[in-house]
Amino acid sequence: EVQVVESGGNLVQPGRSLRLSCAASGFTFDDYAMHWVRQAPGKGLEWVSGISWIGDTIAYADSVKGRFTISRDNAKKSLSLQMNSLRVEDTAFYYCAKSPGLFAEPQFDDWGQGTLVTVSS
Amino acid sequence: DIQMTQSPSSLSASVGDRVTITCRASQSISTYLNWYQQKIGKAPRLLIFAASSLQSGVPSRFSGSGSGTDFTLTIRSLQPEDFATYYCQQSYSLPPTFGQGTKLEIK
């Protein structure tokens, strides 16, 4: 059974940092690109960042570029998102999702349950 | 970035009804269009990929169609478990972008 489990969400003050993790099981992790998608409470879905299966191609939404860093460890079947200089508008549920096929054509076929990041003073 | 616009934003229907949700892209995206279902408090679930291909495990009452800029998601014979919010998403180019969602409610 495919499982994707996020962790690391918390309440943090504006300007501070937080690191999210995603643990994968039940599929061949290094066959898939992995992505982070977020959803502010009561709002729609927003793609945040993605990384190719080998980690050589990375992309970010303009809203997080220069502040967030995505990485993966295929040996540990894990994905991470380092979030620096957090802003109130980064408050959201953050989902880890896997994507088959080409990195540049992402479709999200399995999602974690999400982890909540709240940025507030 | 490619803008995705769904209509309607909300929809009331009854069990057994047939419903259609539309999604329009701001430029042609061929058939690089995916549909998701999200229930309250849950993660999204992929229903349809490549505009019309049914994801494994998804009931056949769900279907998708369209190409270019205009797409539809049809649910034939609504079931109680289908009341949820539906999102379209383009996978034609980065960044992937989503529609604003269509909330399907029980009449």
Side-chain angles (χ1 to χ4, degrees):
Chain A
E1 179 194 4
V2 171
Q3 280 205 315
V4 175
V5 180
E6 305 92 340
S7 60
N10 211 331
L11 170 64
V12 62
Q13 292 179 327
R16 303 299 290 266
S17 298
L18 200 62
R19 187 176 183 88
L20 304 183
S21 297
C22 170
S25 61
F27 63 100
T28 304
F29 185 70
D30 52 12
D31 276 352
Y32 292 87
M34 297 296 295
H35 297 260
W36 291 97
V37 177
R38 69 184 180 183
Q39 185 172 38
K43 303 298 184 182
L45 300 167
E46 179 190 18
W47 174 81
V48 173
S49 180
I51 185 168
S52 62
W53 68 275
I54 200 172
D56 60 344
T57 304
I58 287 173
Y60 297 98
D62 286 345
S63 57
V64 307
K65 201 173 293 183
R67 300 187 298 123
F68 290 12
T69 302
I70 192 172
S71 61
R72 66 188 294 160
D73 184 333
N74 286 346
K76 295 182 178 179
K77 300 184 178 182
S78 68
L79 177 72
S80 296
L81 186 68
Q82 177 66 40
M83 304 186 294
N84 298 332
S85 303
L86 281 162
R87 304 169 180 169
V88 171
E89 56 265 34
D90 295 320
T91 295
F93 288 93
Y94 284 72
Y95 295 100
C96 171
K98 73 187 232 306
S99 177
L102 297 178
F103 175 74
E105 300 170 2
Q107 64 190 53
F108 311 111
D109 63 353
D110 284 289
W111 301 61
Q113 85 289 349
T115 189
L116 178 61
V117 173
T118 303
V119 185
S120 174
S121 54
Chain B
D1 299 0
I2 298 174
Q3 305 302 313
M4 307 300 294
T5 304
Q6 290 180 230
S7 61
S9 295
S10 63
L11 175 61
S12 294
S14 301
V15 173
D17 284 354
R18 173 188 171 108
V19 299
T20 297
I21 298 169
T22 65
C23 178
R24 175 164 289 177
S26 60
Q27 67 181 73
S28 178
I29 58 171
S30 183
T31 56
Y32 289 89
L33 191 283
N34 311 304
W35 289 99
Y36 301 85
Q37 176 194 65
Q38 187 179 31
K39 298 181 179 179
I40 294 174
K42 301 292 187 181
R45 171 197 182 195
L46 179 64
L47 298 176
I48 302 283
F49 63 95
S52 60
S53 296
L54 196 65
Q55 175 70 351
S56 175
V58 174
S60 59
R61 63 180 179 274
F62 290 91
S63 64
S65 65
S67 67
T69 60
D70 295 316
F71 302 86
T72 60
L73 172 70
T74 299
I75 312 172
R76 172 178 47 85
S77 187
L78 272 174
Q79 298 301 299
E81 62 267 28
D82 300 336
F83 293 94
T85 299
Y86 293 84
Y87 294 93
C88 62
Q89 174 245 326
Q90 64 82 16
S91 51
Y92 180 80
S93 68
L94 296 176
T97 47
F98 293 86
Q100 81 278 15
T102 295
K103 187 174 183 179
L104 178 55
E105 299 174 305
I106 300 175
K107 184 182 287 185

